[in-house]
């Protein structure tokens, strides 16, 4: 066995610390799951939650207790939407085959899907997962360019296959990037020109190492980089032209941002002035929970691959999944969900900005449509705080509102509900968030201090949060060296600021 980097903590991952507070039946299910499933699976939250049913923007636990879902983008037209359910049931009761027989459904769907894109004449191909779509996009780009080099952003996530895990820095140090991969700084607010300079530097570095560029692969909303919706001065189009000048292709990963999530324009790349991708990959919300994903590629780009290779993905684009995907397009249009994403998203964004204005813990609020990110910081320093973000996420879960966190430091609240999310739901979320923020008052203001054994100053500078609200700090998250700085002297059981890199999965 070779020595490896410490196992990174997954953002919002369950670590066993909250087990004791769970009902006996949930503890038993966790134990059975651990005995039966491979160890690489992770659960969400300090206290994982079990669901038995979903409807619209709500999930229900086995006792029928309702949770507001402000996190899941796969059931994007709503959990168990009746139109999707009946389309799937009808098709499953009629015929389910594959793309080697003629069926009209897949052709109809491809025509409808292509009509929503703005990349010029294009073809569609279907897979089962977003990972497979990116994997196929990579093969197409390599066939077209003759190159192997790929540029991604610093904390990108593009999937699970061997090829795309190598393009996913967010998987952490134990999943190394490929030798042909360069990660560039993400376009954080205000630093978009640095991003373009980073792409230029990566192109030069690949060239210096004799690696020919195949593609730049970018999530159109940079979700695992911390939710970065800025389109500032067309920086993505500028990056794309640098890539093309170097012989590469621009692949827009719309697995997160597609199908109306960012508002009326349906696709995240369409928000970026002048950006015309060569390949667009899609997944997650495409079938509202049925495994369908795929890509569209400009015809000249795909022609090369189509001549040289054969592609058959057994379940990719099967009639049942296509029926789900068609129903999703119908519901998006019939219920005006992309427009709702724009208007409710803006309503929620401004409510969150209002909350942030009066909270020392919340900093930048970003978002477009129903994809929002809120930076959580230590008030004394303004530095990112994964610990406070985790406390907020778990505090909201305890009050039955589901969100999560993301970003390279795990400090960005990730709010990404199903698209029928309305203003009343946004109000509920904001109210619960402000209740949770009230529990995060500085220890001094809550009457805690040196008497509690805190050796550092009993105020926000000690960067510790009283444990009672959120349970003790799990053993595997305790800083073991002085590198955590002064904060490592806080008493046992207090949550302590650390600079540990978090691995974010989306
Ligand atoms: N790309 C992005 C941007 C994603 O967020 C994900 C999934 N979180 C994927 C690709 C991979 O999709 P899948 O899990 O369906 O393989």
């Amino acid at each position: 066995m070779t020595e490896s980097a410490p196992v990174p903590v997954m953002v919002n991952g369950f670590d066993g610390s909250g087990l004791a507070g769970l009902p006996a039946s949930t503890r038993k299910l966790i134990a059975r799951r651990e005995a039966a499933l491979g160890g690489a699976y992770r659960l969400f939250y300090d206290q994982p939650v079990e669901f038995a049913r979903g409807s619209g923007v709500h999930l229900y636990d086995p006792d029928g207790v309702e949770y507001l879902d402000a996190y899941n983008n796969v059931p994007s037209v709503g959990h168990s939407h009746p139109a999707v359910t009946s389309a799937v049931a009808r098709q499953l009761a009629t015929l389910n085959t594959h793309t080697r027989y003629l069926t009209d459904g897949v052709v109809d769907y491809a025509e409808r899907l292509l009509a929503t894109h703005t990349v010029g004449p294009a073809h569609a191909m279907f897979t089962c997962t977003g990972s497979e779509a990116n994997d196929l996009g990579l093969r197409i780009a390599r066939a077209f360019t003759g190159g192997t080099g790929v540029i991604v952003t610093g904390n990108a996530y593009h999937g699970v296959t061997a090829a795309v895990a190598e393009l996913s820095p967010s998987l952490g140090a134990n999943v190394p990037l490929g030798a042909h991969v360069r990660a560039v700084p993400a376009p954080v607010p205000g630093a978009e020109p640095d991003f373009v300079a980073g792409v230029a530097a990566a192109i030069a570095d690949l060239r210096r190492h004799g690696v020919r560029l195949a593609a730049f692969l970018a999530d159109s909303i940079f979700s695992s980089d911390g939710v970065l919706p800025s389109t500032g001065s067309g920086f993505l189009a500028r990056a794309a032209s640098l890539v093309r000048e170097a012989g590469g292709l621009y692949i827009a990963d719309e697995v997160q941002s597609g199908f109306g999530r960012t508002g009326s324009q349906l696709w995240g790349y369409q928000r970026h002035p002048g950006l015309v991708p060569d390949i667009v990959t899609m997944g997650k919300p495409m079938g509202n929970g049925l495994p369908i994903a795929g890509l569209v590629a400009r015809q000249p780009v795909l022609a090369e691959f189509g001549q040289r290779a054969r592609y058959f993905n057994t379940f990719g684009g099967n009639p049942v999944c296509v029926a789900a995907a068609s129903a999703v397009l119908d519901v998006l249009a019939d219920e005006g969900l992309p427009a709702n994403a724009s208007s409710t998203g803006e309503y929620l964004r401004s409510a969150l900005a209002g909350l942030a204005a009066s909270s020392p813990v919340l900093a930048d609020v970003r978002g477009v449509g129903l994809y929002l990110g809120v930076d959580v910081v230590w008030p004394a320093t303004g530095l990112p705080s994964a610990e406070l973000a985790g406390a907020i996420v778990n505090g909201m879960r305890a009050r039955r509102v589901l969100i999560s966190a993301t970003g390279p430091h795990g400090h960005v609240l990730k709010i990404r509900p199903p698209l029928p999310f309305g203003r009343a739901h946004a109000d509920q979320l904001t109210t619960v968030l402000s209740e949770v923020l009230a529990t995060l008052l500085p220890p001094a203001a809550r009457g805690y201090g040196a008497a509690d054994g805190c050796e550092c100053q009993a105020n926000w500078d000690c960067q510790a949060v009283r444990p009672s609200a959120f349970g003790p700090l799990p053993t595997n998250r305790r800083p073991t060296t002085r590198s955590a700085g002064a904060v490592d002297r806080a008493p046992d059981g207090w949550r302590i600021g650390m600079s540990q890199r978090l691995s974010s999965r989306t």
Side-chain angles (χ1 to χ4, degrees), residues 71 77 100 410 437:
Y71 176 73
V77 301
R100 279 186 168 154
L437 290 171

Side-chain angles (χ1 to χ4, degrees), residues 73 128-132 134 157-160 164 219-220 223-224 253-257 281 283-284 293 371 414 416 505-506:
N73 64 345
C128 303
T129 66
S131 303
E132 287 179 352
N134 282 331
Y157 179 73
H158 294 294
V160 294
V164 297
D219 171 350
S220 300
S223 22
S224 52
D253 182 335
E254 293 280 339
V255 170
Q256 289 279 342
S257 51
T281 60
K284 278 185 181 281
Y371 210 136
K414 176 171 163 186
R416 188 192 53 176
R505 225 61 65 79
T506 49

Side-chain angles (χ1 to χ4, degrees), residues 270-320:
Q270 291 170 334
R271 299 177 51 245
H272 286 267
L275 180 64
V276 182
D278 297 294
I279 300 174
V280 183
T281 60
M282 295 154 268
K284 278 185 181 281
M286 194 164 176
N288 213 50
L290 272 283
I292 179 159
L295 59 78
V296 301
R298 294 196 308 106
Q299 286 181 2
V301 164
L302 196 46
E304 182 71 20
F305 180 77
Q307 268 165 17
R308 283 211 233 152
R310 185 177 75 226
Y311 188 81
F312 175 60
N313 187 322
T314 304
F315 302 117
N318 73 63
V320 168

Side-chain angles (χ1 to χ4, degrees), residues 141 149-153 182 184 195 199 213-219 222 235-236 239-240 243 248-253 279:
V150 183
I151 301 171
V152 294
T153 51
R182 297 293 180 276
V184 300
F195 165 80
V199 172
L213 183 63
F216 175 45
L217 172 59
D219 171 350
F222 302 98
F235 67 90
L236 265 186
V243 166
L249 298 181
Y250 183 93
I251 307 179
D253 182 335
I279 300 174

